[in-house]
Amino acid sequence: MTTQNLLVELFVEELPPKALKQLGEAFASTLAASLRTQGLSAADSVVTAYASPRRLAAHITHVAAKAADQPLRHKLMPVSVGLDASGSATPALLKKLQALVGVDVSDPATTVARLQRATDGKTEALFWDSLVSGATLDVGLQAALDEAIAKLPIPKVMTYQLHQGCELPGWSSVQFVRPAHGLVALHGETVVPVRVLGLQAGRSTHGHRFEAACDPIEFASADDYAIDLREEGSVIASFEERRSDILRQLHAAAEKAGSGLRPIEDDALLDEVTALVERPNVLVCQFEQEFLDVPQECLILTMKANQKYFPLLDAAGKLTNRFLVVSNICPQDASAVVGGNERVVRPRLADAKFFFDQDRKKTLESRVAGLAKVVYHNKLGTQGQRSERVQQIAHTIVNQLRQAQIPYTADAKDHFDALDSKVQQAARLAKTDLLTDMVGEFPELQGVMGGYYARHEGLRDGVAIAIEDHYKPRFAGDDLPRNHTGTVLALADKLETLIGMFGIGNLPTGDKDPFALRRHALGVIRILVEKKLPLSLDELLHAAMAPFGSLIADPANSMQLLQQFIYERLKGYFDGSQDRAQAAGAEAIATTTYSSNQIQAVLENKPQDLSRIEDRLLAVKYFAELSEASALAAANKRIGNILKKAGDAQQLVDAHVSEMLLVEEAEKNLYAAMQQVVPQADAHFNAGRYTESLQALAALRVPVDAFFDDVMVNAEQMDLRLNRQGLLKMLHQAMNRVADLSLLAI
């Protein structure tokens, strides 16, 4: 079967830039998958996706003009039903055959002779074998195009009018992401007569709006597409090629602009700019030096978000007064383009400077009262009330650290009273920058601007840093708060959000998480784990719930749901997934990987001190490598099943043994071994030496195996049975202090 390469292009008006990459990939992949399903393309066909601001296209190799014919077997009915005693067709069989397309029943005897007999697993049945003609490319590509259009992940559909231009003049509505104006479908050198969105396929398209060498551009064959568009249309059709070219130009322009300069790294911005241009041309621009007095986060954000510019940073990461523009045209004299962009950015920077100057005329303290007028949530009150709750939670966290006798201070002189004072001041002022003009214009700068304004007012640097950092970590892989005050405040802020939202029933569902509760839970986990805070999760949550009072209707249920939610995030954090991988990049924590059953074994017991979970996991990992581990894990699982069958293992079975009732030698030996080993394991556990605790238990393998070989646990005598169950419960409790070892059993 001969094949040729296929090219399909949909020419449209400017597509949404943030969705272009995904649209291009989806268009090509769906088109290729549909052709493959219909047998028109080979398994090794190469699919190349193209996406520019004004086109979606796909180039697919080894596409056939017609798919191979396929044999098809129709099951009719059991032989006993379809044929009578003489072997002739029954009326039921003839009726079934008449319903099949292409079957001639004018001569029943001949038709019956063509039937096949085979066993369908239960009885012998009649089958009709036929050959189904393979789809032609005309039909198959039409179906593939319709499917590709229907499945495009369009962010928002628009409706536009398409002129019919037929005998009955009129207009009809078409729905697509943007108005479509052209369709190319070439199989080798031949146009495939397909139609979509009111457009008939041809072989011509349009290039760059201003710099195309000719218009329209006509393709001789499917393989000429990318080359002709580049040479005649001044368009780099491939999204990835365009992106790579922009990145290369950015670094070259930065190097030319000054020694040590580099463009800001932002993949999302790079993708968006790639989706805005068809022929990228990077130019160097600059703004007045005086604007650098404004915090660089403000200037960078306004240049990136509003103008799609790439600010230039020096070797120390400090913003310079130069920036890069990715233009869509390449004039011989670019001075007009440079000048225009410099004029455009100046008012934006002036606005930022104005906001910064105006905001500094009022202190953060003077804005505290205004928080009472800002609604946080209609069921949880105002930002002022929220701020008060955060203060109470933060105060409790400091007291919990104090009770744990942790020297969680900058130096020996910085006592917990001083820490509490700074935390309370930072918590009181943390949300006040929400009322500033700068944050009103750029919500992404909340916290950051609060830190700047606090420093301007001469507040303690620790407080200013805490205000700036209390939203951290903002995303997976983000830095943690830099000082103790910020750590306590960030933890309190995240706990307040989680408790409040769970308390009123605003739980994440599916991929919807409008209050970023998954991110907040991961932030709590990272702070407790990576900052090594020896705090009880249960006590933290109860402390965080107290300030809400009657706002939470069912505290017990909310607490249970939230704990489960946090432990689910913990599992993802430790299983080597993106959460922990990105966190490792930020904090350089250990990157030891654990199996899913090792993680589940540790989390099954709901350990409250999250800072020690890593130690438990390491202990379980080392224990699993011992030769005794498999047998002990299997025995632990067996013990658990025995105790469950005995009733509620936590209530009816008493973890107590009477030596007088130890009859068999094996149970005596097990009890004696436990008397020696369990205290050692418990001592290690209480000292936080989890690895040594589990390794000590390895000595019980031999007596445990002997016990199950020689002792009948469920003896007929009730006192012997209860005594043996009590022995097993003692063993079960001792073995499962670090983790539920039964989950390690294969």
Side-chain angles (χ1 to χ4, degrees):
M1 180 172 60
T2 58
T3 62
Q4 296 187 77
N5 297 339
L6 176 71
L7 183 282
V8 178
E9 184 208 66
L10 188 62
F11 182 75
V12 297
E13 293 183 15
E14 278 74 4
L15 292 160
K18 291 184 178 180
L20 179 63
K21 184 178 181 181
Q22 188 179 8
L23 288 173
E25 293 171 350
F27 180 76
S29 62
T30 305
L31 200 66
S34 179
L35 293 175
R36 191 180 307 114
T37 300
Q38 298 177 75
L40 289 165
S41 64
D44 60 348
S45 292
V46 178
V47 182
T48 305
Y50 297 100
S52 81
R54 297 200 297 160
R55 71 199 76 241
L56 300 174
H59 182 272
I60 306 170
T61 63
H62 307 310
V63 176
K66 181 180 180 297
D69 295 341
Q70 298 293 325
L72 182 64
R73 168 165 283 197
H74 294 275
K75 180 183 176 182
L76 300 174
M77 58 187 63
V79 173
S80 59
V81 177
L83 301 177
D84 59 21
S86 64
S88 299
T90 63
L93 177 60
L94 293 176
K95 185 177 181 180
K96 187 77 170 180
L97 288 169
Q98 287 175 341
L100 298 178
V101 178
V103 180
D104 183 8
V105 294
S106 59
D107 185 357
T110 303
T111 305
V112 169
R114 289 187 55 190
L115 296 178
Q116 303 296 321
R117 298 188 181 198
T119 302
D120 63 358
K122 295 181 179 179
T123 184
E124 188 178 29
L126 296 173
F127 295 85
W128 175 267
D129 290 341
S130 61
L131 198 63
V132 178
S133 179
T136 63
L137 183 58
D138 294 6
V139 175
L141 181 57
Q142 183 65 64
L145 257 177
D146 292 340
E147 182 180 357
I149 295 296
K151 290 185 176 180
L152 277 180
I154 299 174
K156 189 175 183 181
V157 175
M158 68 177 295
T159 302
Y160 60 95
Q161 300 298 321
L162 181 70
H163 180 56
Q164 296 290 345
C166 56
E167 295 180 1
L168 297 174
W171 299 81
S172 65
S173 296
V174 178
Q175 287 190 328
F176 194 52
V177 59
R178 292 290 185 271
H181 297 294
L183 177 65
V184 176
L186 288 175
H187 186 228
E189 298 178 355
T190 306
V191 174
V192 185
V194 292
R195 185 179 181 86
V196 70
L197 300 176
L199 302 169
Q200 185 67 42
R203 64 171 66 247
S204 63
T205 189
H206 303 277
H208 196 285
R209 282 189 184 276
F210 310 110
E211 301 195 355
C214 62
D215 188 69
I217 301 167
E218 191 166 296
F219 305 111
S221 74
D223 294 338
D224 295 337
Y225 180 72
I227 296 175
D228 286 356
L229 262 182
R230 183 187 289 265
E231 294 180 353
E232 298 180 21
S234 295
V235 173
I236 302 175
S238 168
F239 187 95
E240 292 303 325
E241 285 185 29
R242 226 165 41 254
R243 189 182 193 276
S244 297
D245 186 50
I246 292 173
L247 191 59
R248 177 190 59 78
Q249 289 191 50
L250 286 172
H251 286 285
E255 185 177 349
K256 186 177 179 181
S259 177
L261 297 186
R262 58 181 177 84
I264 196 165
E265 295 181 6
D266 189 323
D267 288 339
L269 176 62
L270 182 57
D271 285 343
E272 187 173 359
V273 169
T274 302
L276 287 169
V277 299
E278 292 186 315
R279 187 186 184 187
N281 179 32
V282 175
L283 303 171
V284 181
C285 305
Q286 63 181 10
F287 56 83
E288 288 76 3
Q289 191 82 18
E290 66 187 62
F291 289 121
L292 292 178
D293 294 336
V294 179
Q296 70 176 42
E297 291 89 347
C298 307
L299 304 182
I300 290 173
L301 185 58
T302 190
M303 284 191 282
K304 285 173 28 177
N306 296 323
Q307 305 302 134
K308 315 305 174 189
Y309 295 157
F310 287 84
L312 282 177
L313 310 178
D314 62 20
K318 187 177 179 181
L319 180 67
T320 68
N321 68 325
R322 296 191 173 192
F323 60 94
L324 301 178
V325 174
V326 183
S327 174
N328 194 33
I329 56 176
C330 301
Q332 291 184 349
D333 181 6
S335 59
V337 179
V338 171
N341 281 282
E342 290 177 347
R343 284 194 301 274
V344 168
V345 77
R346 192 173 294 116
R348 293 285 187 180
L349 301 183
D351 286 346
K353 187 176 186 305
F354 174 78
F355 293 148
F356 185 56
D357 292 339
Q358 290 298 112
D359 287 342
R360 288 183 296 174
K361 293 179 180 179
K362 293 181 64 176
T363 64
L364 295 179
E365 183 63 39
S366 68
R367 299 179 187 272
V368 170
L371 293 175
K373 301 177 182 178
V374 179
V375 176
Y376 167 54
H377 191 282
N378 62 346
K379 293 183 179 181
L380 296 174
T382 66
Q383 286 287 0
Q385 293 170 310
R386 181 189 183 195
S387 178
E388 291 174 359
R389 290 194 294 266
V390 171
Q391 292 176 58
Q392 294 179 52
I393 296 170
H395 175 69
T396 304
I397 292 173
V398 173
N399 284 337
Q400 289 179 357
L401 289 169
R402 190 198 311 267
Q403 292 168 7
Q405 296 183 347
I406 301 301
Y408 193 64
T409 52
D411 52 54
K413 297 180 181 179
D414 188 8
H415 300 293
F416 284 104
D417 289 342
L419 175 61
D420 191 32
S421 174
K422 289 189 290 185
V423 167
Q424 290 303 304
Q425 184 181 19
R428 177 177 170 80
L429 303 177
K431 303 298 180 183
T432 54
D433 68 351
L434 297 176
L435 303 177
T436 63
D437 292 337
M438 186 70 82
V439 174
E441 180 71 14
F442 301 111
E444 302 90 335
L445 295 177
Q446 55 188 290
V448 173
M449 296 314 301
Y452 275 107
Y453 297 142
R455 291 188 189 90
H456 171 72
E457 296 172 21
L459 298 181
R460 291 175 289 188
D461 191 52
V463 172
I465 291 176
I467 292 173
E468 180 178 343
D469 288 358
H470 83 279
Y471 289 106
K472 293 182 177 180
R474 296 171 183 260
F475 50 86
D478 191 18
D479 294 335
L480 295 181
R482 290 166 287 177
N483 64 14
H484 310 317
T485 308
T487 297
V488 173
L489 179 55
L491 183 58
D493 185 71
K494 288 168 175 55
L495 288 171
E496 193 278 338
T497 301
L498 289 167
I499 290 290
M501 291 303 163
F502 270 77
I504 61 174
N506 276 353
L507 280 63
T509 56
D511 60 349
K512 296 181 179 179
D513 188 9
F515 295 96
L517 300 185
R518 294 186 180 96
R519 175 171 59 81
H520 280 84
L522 180 60
V524 169
I525 290 168
R526 287 193 56 199
I527 290 172
L528 293 175
V529 172
E530 297 170 31
K531 291 290 188 178
K532 298 294 183 183
L533 300 187
L535 300 174
S536 165
L537 179 62
D538 189 65
E539 291 178 5
L540 272 177
L541 296 183
H542 276 93
M545 189 167 288
F548 285 89
S550 61
L551 292 177
I552 298 178
D554 189 351
N557 183 58
S558 300
M559 180 75 68
Q560 182 181 357
L561 291 174
L562 180 52
Q563 279 212 11
Q564 181 181 351
F565 183 74
I566 291 175
Y567 281 111
E568 287 172 357
R569 306 281 82 71
L570 259 173
K571 185 176 181 180
Y573 175 78
F574 280 110
D575 71 357
S577 64
Q578 183 181 10
D579 286 346
R580 188 162 178 265
Q582 291 184 347
E587 293 294 318
I589 65 172
T591 55
T592 304
T593 57
Y594 309 99
S595 66
S596 59
N597 61 339
Q598 290 170 357
I599 297 170
Q600 189 60 42
V602 170
L603 297 183
E604 186 69 17
N605 295 338
K606 300 292 189 294
Q608 293 299 308
D609 186 353
L610 305 192
S611 70
R612 300 302 308 275
I613 287 183
E614 183 91 38
D615 298 331
R616 290 177 183 248
L617 283 168
L618 284 171
V620 170
K621 185 178 181 66
Y622 294 144
F623 174 78
E625 296 171 357
L626 298 176
S627 59
E628 299 88 351
S630 179
L632 285 174
N636 190 283
K637 185 175 182 179
R638 185 174 179 181
I639 293 169
N641 292 333
I642 291 172
L643 294 175
K644 286 178 182 177
K645 290 179 181 179
D648 186 341
Q650 302 301 320
Q651 295 180 11
L652 299 183
V653 178
D654 184 17
H656 175 75
V657 174
S658 171
E659 293 187 59
M660 298 290 294
L661 295 175
L662 296 175
V663 178
E664 303 291 344
E665 193 66 27
E667 61 183 330
K668 292 178 181 179
N669 292 338
L670 176 57
Y671 180 70
M674 287 173 57
Q675 292 296 99
Q676 181 178 0
V677 170
V678 172
Q680 296 176 7
D682 287 346
H684 287 307
F685 178 86
N686 294 332
R689 298 188 295 269
Y690 302 130
T691 300
E692 290 84 347
S693 180
L694 288 180
Q695 289 177 340
L697 294 172
L700 294 176
R701 176 189 173 177
V702 173
V704 167
D705 288 347
F707 177 88
F708 283 114
D709 288 340
D710 301 338
V711 178
M712 174 67 69
V713 176
N714 293 323
E716 291 185 7
Q717 293 178 251
M718 183 57 68
D719 56 348
L720 292 182
R721 180 190 301 180
L722 293 176
N723 200 57
R724 289 168 183 174
Q725 289 175 353
L727 176 64
L728 291 182
K729 185 163 185 180
M730 288 176 60
L731 178 60
H732 197 252
Q733 290 176 344
M735 293 177 71
N736 290 336
R737 294 195 71 184
V738 175
D740 186 346
L741 299 184
S742 67
L743 295 176
L744 301 180
I746 299 175

